[in-house]
Amino acid sequence: MSDKTEREPEIVGFACSYCTFKASEMAGSLRMKYPEKVRVIQVPCSSRVDPAFVIKAIFEGADGVFVSGCHPGDCHFIKGNYYTRRKMAALKEMFKAFSMDGKVKLFWISAAEARRFIEKITNMYNELREEKNAGKKN
Amino acid sequence: MQGKKIDKEKLRVALNRFVEKQNQIVYGYGKNGIFITHKIYTDHVEDLSLFNPYFGINGATFFYRVFSKDIKVVMLLRPCEIRAMIELVKLNQIEPETITMISTDCPGTVSLKKAKADLPDDFLEIQKAAEKDDGGLRWACKFCREKRGVFGDAGIRVQEDGGMWIFPYTDKGSDFLNLIDEELVEYTGKFVILESMKTEPFVTDMDTFHKDFSKCILCKNCRDMCPVCYCVDCLFNGDEYLPKGDAFINKMLRTGTENLPYGKEIFHMIRMYHVSQTCVGCGACEEACPQDIPITKYFKGISERLQNLFSYMSGRDVKETIPYLTFKEDELKDTED
Ligand code: SF4
Ligand code: SF4
């Protein structure tokens, strides 16, 4: 685990099966590429994600975690993502207090937005890679 | 505000009127050997201590899952304990109909673990003792957000000369006040404790966390004694989050952790998040910790920061909803990345 070569960050993502997960499937069928070390986990709704899952993932080795759901107002279950928004806002505030902001992200990506999905996670990946290798340059 | 001027004797008479009836009890503090602890009075109130200089556990811990409607309770507790009761009501862990919660002004407390015996139980004397010996006051009390008895069904407030007043906040509170032989009068004077305390937003980092928690043995006492950590089936019961055996070895190899016990950050941070909106900053967790870890600093700090996000304060009002259980459509626009 302690090699000095460039290390790739690992990202765990929780994606709602009605939107972001569909977008990721569409990205796949359009042969779009995104970093290999992003693991997407399908959840029935973004509000299914107890922030405990996020915290567990971070302290068990993930470099970043994202939670992604439908745009506010578009939830399949009508209001699930409004709860997600509150929970994630609080979780991000907590990580900020621990000087670890940037590790947790919240995205809104609808089923049609394959390109947005790719952009968002590639950006996150690049940010984390820079951060992870910042101290290792020499 | 309309209230009644009382003294210890008048209150005792009123409490006895209440407690003499069948199935009615008073819950407060009383002398227990050389210390003062929580006490239940079932048929006669003799030596009730209205104020308690010792803090051992949060009194709401005894009142989880109280659903019985046959027993009427009057409780005279500190603001942090009443606030925990109110949070438990919101979480459906208590049926409040038959419980009259009265919060009393709190002069601050010392830790029951370390304190001298035979401290006084009078408000001004406790306060004087605390001022003289600042080191004696618990950390949670030094930075307490709200020491005023302004929560629950009624509140007992202390004047600068030591005189006491009781104010009703709800109908249940007024019913209790009817037992006191005094006229309701308008009160405009001052109290010893004037306002709540404001603190800076809490900031820390993982290095400090690891330093502070390096002695933690993951006994989970802090969870067990927390009044608002009420889940019957806690995540950390069982092996899912804190694995043992083969699962544990695999996890070690996977995460590269070298320090044991494994999962301190997971345990404390998840608990910190789960109680973030309901933590009342009482410090019972720290009191329960065998390793003297400054837990409350983290839990109180994080919870106040996260509650401010929603302009919420745990236990302020039973009619408020816990922020994670509700939402507004038009808010937190910048949460998305
Ligand atoms: S986390 Fe600690 S300070 Fe907060 S309510 Fe629980 S015992 Fe009290
Ligand atoms: S009570 Fe103290 S030692 Fe036990 S788990 Fe909590 S912090 Fe760790």
Side-chain angles (χ1 to χ4, degrees):
Chain A
M1 293 300 281
S2 56
D3 51 341
K4 289 279 186 299
T5 52
E6 179 154 305
R7 289 173 59 196
E8 286 186 55
E10 285 182 60
I11 295 179
V12 175
F14 295 95
C16 160
S17 61
Y18 290 94
C19 51
T20 313
F21 199 77
K22 290 259 159 60
S24 77
E25 283 173 345
M26 187 155 95
S29 57
L30 291 173
R31 311 245 164 224
M32 294 177 175
K33 285 225 163 8
Y34 63 82
E36 273 169 37
K37 290 245 168 167
V38 178
R39 311 281 153 82
V40 184
I41 299 169
Q42 184 179 5
V43 287
C45 172
S46 56
S47 68
R48 172 64 184 89
V49 181
D50 181 336
F53 306 165
V54 178
I55 297 172
K56 186 170 187 267
I58 296 263
F59 289 106
E60 290 193 351
D63 296 285
V65 177
F66 70 83
V67 175
S68 180
C70 315
H71 290 270
D74 293 347
C75 176
H76 181 80
F77 304 101
I78 302 170
K79 49 191 184 178
N81 51 3
Y82 290 121
Y83 293 113
T84 312
R85 186 167 62 185
R86 281 207 154 191
K87 288 192 276 189
M88 292 305 292
L91 185 66
K92 283 164 82 173
E93 183 78 7
M94 178 166 137
F95 273 96
K96 216 182 197 171
F98 276 94
S99 316
M100 296 205 291
D101 26 352
K103 288 218 172 226
V104 184
K105 298 218 186 258
L106 173 69
F107 300 141
W108 305 132
I109 299 166
S110 79
E113 295 175 316
R115 190 165 304 281
R116 186 176 151 95
F117 173 75
I118 301 288
E119 270 168 24
K120 291 272 183 198
I121 59 173
T122 317
N123 280 349
M124 180 176 182
Y125 179 83
N126 289 342
E127 265 174 41
L128 286 171
R129 190 169 64 173
E130 243 164 65
E131 200 180 292
K132 190 162 180 148
N133 294 301
K136 294 219 169 72
K137 280 279 151 60
N138 31 38
Chain B
M1 207 172 14
Q2 291 218 315
K4 291 185 174 181
K5 180 149 177 50
I6 51 165
D7 53 36
K8 253 189 121 169
E9 185 52 28
K10 279 193 193 125
L11 188 68
R12 199 183 65 84
V13 172
L15 288 172
N16 272 324
R17 274 186 197 141
F18 177 82
V19 90
E20 269 159 14
K21 301 220 177 79
Q22 266 255 299
N23 285 345
Q24 306 207 353
I25 59 175
V26 168
Y27 176 38
Y29 310 116
K31 286 228 164 60
N32 182 354
I34 47 175
F35 289 102
I36 301 168
T37 61
H38 291 97
K39 209 162 174 176
I40 287 197
Y41 300 87
T42 48
D43 46 35
H44 189 64
V45 179
E46 194 47 68
D47 54 347
L48 178 105
S49 297
L50 197 47
F51 305 103
N52 180 357
Y54 303 105
F55 190 105
I57 46 184
N58 187 312
T61 323
F62 298 116
F63 275 74
Y64 285 171
R65 298 187 268 285
V66 171
F67 304 121
S68 154
K69 296 230 169 64
D70 306 334
I71 295 195
K72 281 195 178 170
V73 189
V74 163
M75 41 176 74
L76 296 140
L77 298 175
R78 300 183 185 103
C80 57
E81 295 172 308
I82 298 294
R83 282 171 61 201
M85 288 293 294
I86 290 173
E87 287 302 299
L88 289 169
V89 170
K90 290 183 199 168
L91 293 161
N92 299 326
Q93 299 303 304
I94 293 171
E95 288 284 352
E97 279 78 43
T98 55
I99 303 182
T100 308
M101 307 176 198
I102 304 174
S103 53
T104 53
D105 270 4
C106 179
T109 59
V110 294
S111 160
L112 189 56
K113 259 197 294 196
K114 298 167 196 153
K116 289 190 292 236
D118 291 322
L119 288 180
D121 67 352
D122 175 78
F123 187 93
L124 292 180
E125 277 178 46
I126 298 176
Q127 225 185 19
K128 227 183 279 160
E131 259 164 38
K132 227 190 302 166
D133 181 18
D134 182 52
L137 220 52
R138 294 157 66 241
W139 187 92
C141 295
K142 267 186 229 165
F143 295 96
C144 180
R145 200 169 170 186
E146 188 61 276
K147 292 183 176 177
R148 296 179 298 171
V150 292
F151 307 103
D153 301 305
I156 295 181
R157 309 289 316 272
V158 180
Q159 276 176 302
E160 273 159 337
D161 62 359
M164 291 187 289
W165 285 74
I166 182 162
F167 299 101
Y169 305 137
T170 64
D171 292 345
K172 259 188 288 169
S174 303
D175 287 347
F176 178 73
L177 259 75
N178 289 338
L179 298 172
I180 303 175
D181 303 317
E182 269 299 317
E183 288 304 308
L184 264 183
V185 287
E186 192 65 30
Y187 181 77
T188 48
K190 271 197 179 168
F191 297 113
V192 183
I193 307 171
L194 288 174
E195 52 194 19
S196 40
M197 185 195 271
K198 296 210 171 44
T199 41
E200 292 293 306
F202 176 72
V203 211
T204 181
D205 53 55
M206 282 322 281
D207 288 342
T208 325
F209 176 89
H210 282 299
K211 245 178 249 158
D212 280 346
F213 284 80
S214 55
K215 279 207 293 180
C216 173
I217 54 174
L218 270 187
C219 62
K220 309 194 195 101
N221 278 355
C222 44
R223 173 200 67 183
D224 293 347
M225 293 323 281
C226 174
V228 294
C229 233
Y230 67 92
C231 299
V232 184
D233 214 351
C234 178
L235 282 181
F236 299 105
N237 297 344
D239 293 352
E240 289 295 318
Y241 280 71
L242 304 173
K244 298 186 186 74
D246 282 347
F248 160 69
I249 296 290
N250 286 338
K251 203 137 267 178
M252 291 294 258
L253 296 173
R254 168 81 182 76
T255 60
T257 325
E258 285 156 356
N259 297 329
L260 294 178
Y262 169 81
K264 279 183 220 171
E265 317 89 344
I266 297 184
F267 173 69
H268 289 293
M269 303 252 310
I270 291 181
R271 201 174 86 77
M272 222 177 279
Y273 180 83
H274 279 177
V275 301
S276 58
Q277 300 299 334
T278 43
C279 171
V280 294
C282 59
C285 40
E286 197 166 317
E287 223 39 56
C289 178
Q291 302 291 68
D292 279 332
I293 291 168
I295 316 169
T296 312
K297 189 173 87 188
Y298 287 86
F299 281 77
K300 186 174 179 297
I302 291 287
S303 70
E304 279 172 18
R305 212 175 145 157
L306 267 52
Q307 288 172 23
N308 284 343
L309 210 58
F310 306 106
S311 315
Y312 180 75
M313 178 180 174
S314 53
R316 181 169 50 194
D317 187 346
V318 75
K319 287 184 216 79
E320 283 177 321
T321 318
I322 293 173
Y324 299 148
L325 306 180
T326 179
F327 62 86
K328 289 192 197 105
E329 282 186 23
D330 196 25
E331 64 172 0
L332 303 169
K333 294 282 185 219
D334 53 357
T335 307
E336 191 211 359
D337 292 280

